[in-house]
Amino acid sequence: QVQLVESGGGLVQAGESLRLSCAASGTIFSIPTMNWYRQAPGKQRELVGTITSSGRTTYADSVKGRFTISRDNAKNTMYLQMNSLEPKDTAVYYCHAGVLTTQRSLALYWGQGTQVTVSS
C-alpha cells in the first residue's frame, strides 16, 4: 500500500510564490518518476511537470521559467516551487507517481490534491 500526500496549497496574490510538497509512504522500493498535475475548474487535468529519480525534469510550456520541481529521494518527497504566480495557475494540484513496490510490482498512484488559488 502506497500513499501520496500533498501539502502547501493556499491563497496568494498574483506575483507571489508557493511551495507544494508531496510525500510518499508505504511499501516503496523506489519511485522512478514523479509528476505534478493540475486541474482548473471546468478544465481537464493537465501535466505540469515531471521529475525522474536522477533529477531530470520536464515542464509544461505554461510554467517554464516560473515553476521548479525537485525531490528528496531519501524522504520520498517531491516539491513544486511556484514563483510569479498568475490567476491562470489557480487549480487543484495533484501529485502522481509510478512506484516500484517492495513486492517489485509497478503501480501508479495519485494524491488527494491541494488547492492553489491566485488572486489578481
Side-chain angles (χ1 to χ4, degrees), residues 45-62:
R45 193 171 296 189
E46 64 173 354
L47 179 65
V48 174
T50 297
I51 186 165
T52 67
S53 57
S54 62
R56 183 174 181 179
T57 55
T58 58
Y59 299 94
D61 288 342
S62 58

Side-chain angles (χ1 to χ4, degrees), residues 3 7 10 13 28 30 44 51 53 66 83 92 94 101 118:
Q3 291 184 326
S7 60
Q13 292 188 335
I28 299 169
S30 68
Q44 289 188 330
I51 186 165
S53 57
R66 300 188 299 122
N83 299 328
V92 178
Y94 295 92
T101 69
V118 185

Side-chain angles (χ1 to χ4, degrees), residues 56-83:
R56 183 174 181 179
T57 55
T58 58
Y59 299 94
D61 288 342
S62 58
V63 305
K64 278 182 182 176
R66 300 188 299 122
F67 290 11
T68 302
I69 299 175
S70 60
R71 62 188 283 178
D72 183 334
N73 290 331
K75 296 181 179 179
N76 288 327
T77 300
M78 174 178 63
Y79 306 96
L80 179 63
Q81 178 66 44
M82 304 184 292
N83 299 328

